[in-house]
Amino acid sequence: MDLFYGEGEGRDGSAAQRMAEIRAEVADTGTYTHTAAELTFGARVAWRNSNRCIGRLYWRSLRVRDRRSTRDAADIAAESVKHLTEAGGGGRIRPTITVFAPDRPGAPGPRFHNEQLIRYAGYTRPDGSVLGDPLNTGITELALRHGWRGGPGTRFDVLPLVIETQRDGIELFELPPEAVLEVELSHPRYPWFAGLGLRWHAVPVISAMDLEIGGVRYPAAPFNGWYMGTEIGARNFGDTERYDMLPVVASKMALDTSSDASLWRDRALVELNVAVLHSFARAGVKITDHHTEAKRFLTHVEREEEAGRSCPTDWSWIVPPISGSATLVFHRYYDEGDLRPNYLRRECPVTGQQHPAAHPAEDHPAPDGPQPPGGITG
Ligand code: ARG
């Protein structure tokens, strides 16, 4: 409340008055209810405090959909579909969050088991190899155990929403295809690239992080920004634990893969990233590159300083996974810190998977560490 009133958001009354009200409500019910304005401010500041997000310049523009009274899993699924459509804007992507009911004493709020609203299945084959995205084998098995028939069997089968409510347990909902905006990848100079059959979804909607505001936890509060190309081109397609495309791209480029020192991986990485940025632009889907985003981020840090605030930042997440030293964010240190409100990572109780996947460079993954709307390398 100090933050809310201190930043001029409280229209009437004072932090002290509101705190008295809140204390009475907590004494009565064990929790309290945010006003719509408090919720909106809290969700935006949670983004501002996300120390792994390079995209925070626009934190004030986050659109907040207040759906705290939507309780049935089927209605939550329908609102999630609306979120995808509204936030996707046919390619004009808008940072958006939909907030469902909070946890209350003895009454946990609903939650998504999906790490993002749109994710591609990872089917483990008998020989241990994976068809699709190896990141998502846990949720894929969970969905199959709960009666999912499986998709058509491509590398890009969209998983159903896996929603758990206290009343009804786990339920599954297929996303209608028209809610899943996707971009097929091609390359401006390599005609063979399109033949790789790669595609990616346009809107990353993180759905398994708790939004925490003023001590209240919202376990179902899916939020999105737009993609930075390296998330897809470097990590999702380049990581050996993901789609592992570097050997394939390098061989199509006829690079010498017999020696690490030929830098074939690096050259393949760059062309993959060129393909991602080119394809999204051609499809009219908003995306950003790491040079642009690095500059914007430093503008954000400056603005925060001007406002008299510290901007908690995790260097190891802010520096992009390719060409780090060619971006401005590499060449300095940042304030550290773990502020609230924030988006908090939680472990999926069923799959045991950390959502979003922990940063590989993390020595001691804190189950409660803050996580970004724009978690860029996740
Ligand atoms: N890195 C994640 C992915 O590749 C998305 C994390 C959020 N990113 C964002 N630009 N808001 O799907």
Side-chain angles (χ1 to χ4, degrees):
M1 289 310 137
D2 284 341
L3 209 59
F4 180 76
Y5 285 89
E7 293 187 24
E9 297 286 330
R11 297 279 171 269
D12 32 49
S14 66
Q17 276 168 358
R18 177 69 178 124
M19 279 308 296
E21 229 173 75
I22 288 171
R23 284 206 183 84
E25 201 181 333
V26 170
D28 235 30
T29 67
T31 185
Y32 69 103
T33 306
H34 290 129
T35 64
E38 288 165 0
L39 181 71
T40 296
F41 178 73
R44 289 176 177 162
V45 174
W47 184 7
R48 186 175 88 193
N49 286 339
S50 294
N51 60 5
R52 293 172 167 183
C53 177
I54 195 174
R56 285 178 275 169
L57 179 61
Y58 304 113
W59 66 273
R60 276 178 200 283
S61 71
L62 179 67
R63 294 158 51 110
V64 180
R65 305 174 72 238
D66 180 356
R67 298 294 183 277
R68 286 175 289 174
S69 56
T70 306
R71 296 191 158 272
D72 287 358
D75 298 333
I76 291 169
E79 279 300 336
S80 305
V81 168
K82 272 198 204 147
H83 178 129
L84 283 170
T85 313
E86 284 175 26
R92 275 196 65 232
I93 295 166
R94 292 178 282 237
T96 303
I97 183 169
T98 302
V99 185
F100 296 106
D103 285 337
R104 299 180 66 90
R111 57 205 67 214
F112 293 91
H113 287 278
N114 315 70
E115 181 225 347
Q116 292 190 25
L117 294 185
I118 301 174
R119 273 314 204 195
Y120 298 122
Y123 306 100
T124 309
R125 299 191 185 97
D127 69 353
S129 64
V130 173
L131 171 67
D133 192 343
L135 181 69
N136 303 319
T137 51
I139 181 75
T140 303
E141 279 152 30
L142 178 67
L144 291 168
R145 272 208 302 283
H146 280 83
W148 189 46
R149 294 269 182 79
T154 72
R155 284 181 293 171
F156 300 101
D157 286 3
V158 174
L159 285 159
L161 295 177
V162 182
I163 298 175
E164 181 165 358
T165 58
Q166 189 181 32
R167 203 191 62 192
D168 299 318
I170 290 183
E171 292 173 272
L172 305 191
F173 302 89
E174 289 284 355
L175 289 171
E178 61 275 14
V180 183
L181 187 59
E182 289 180 293
V183 176
E184 292 178 4
L185 298 195
S186 60
H187 189 283
R189 286 177 308 278
Y190 298 140
W192 49 262
F193 198 100
L196 298 176
L198 302 182
R199 58 203 291 124
W200 204 255
H201 54 93
V203 196
V205 192
I206 306 283
S207 50
M209 290 180 84
D210 293 346
L211 166 58
E212 191 191 290
I213 304 173
V216 176
R217 283 226 175 190
Y218 297 91
F223 58 82
N224 74 279
W226 50 80
Y227 264 116
M228 182 162 92
T230 55
E231 297 182 89
I232 304 166
R235 304 299 309 283
N236 300 349
F237 284 128
D239 279 13
T240 51
E241 316 278 88
R242 300 292 298 286
Y243 281 82
D244 194 18
M245 291 303 293
L246 299 185
V248 179
V249 173
S251 101
K252 290 280 190 192
M253 289 172 71
L255 300 177
D256 171 14
T257 55
S258 69
S259 143
D260 288 341
S262 75
L263 300 189
W264 62 268
R265 288 191 188 80
D266 311 67
R267 296 179 62 189
L269 260 173
V270 169
E271 298 308 335
L272 252 169
N273 279 276
V274 166
V276 168
L277 293 171
H278 163 82
S279 310
F280 272 63
R282 222 178 53 155
V285 172
K286 183 152 177 158
I287 194 161
T288 184
D289 68 84
H290 45 294
H291 303 285
T292 305
E293 215 50 34
K295 279 186 215 141
R296 283 187 188 148
F297 181 68
L298 293 179
T299 304
H300 169 67
V301 173
E302 250 168 56
R303 282 195 197 166
E304 287 300 289
E305 278 165 8
E306 277 162 23
R309 290 190 289 264
S310 136
C311 179
T313 298
D314 182 341
W315 190 97
S316 76
W317 276 67
I318 295 298
V319 170
I322 58 166
S323 312
S325 64
T327 66
L328 292 168
V329 290
F330 178 95
H331 299 276
R332 53 162 292 172
Y333 291 108
Y334 300 94
D335 291 342
E336 289 175 13
D338 182 8
L339 304 177
R340 298 289 184 273
N342 216 315
Y343 297 95
L344 306 177
R345 188 167 61 196
R346 72 162 177 264
E347 196 171 293
C348 171
V350 186
T351 62
Q353 201 181 355
Q354 283 264 334
H355 287 317
H359 192 285
E362 223 170 68
D363 291 327
H364 25 250
D368 254 14
Q371 272 273 338
I376 278 306
T377 51

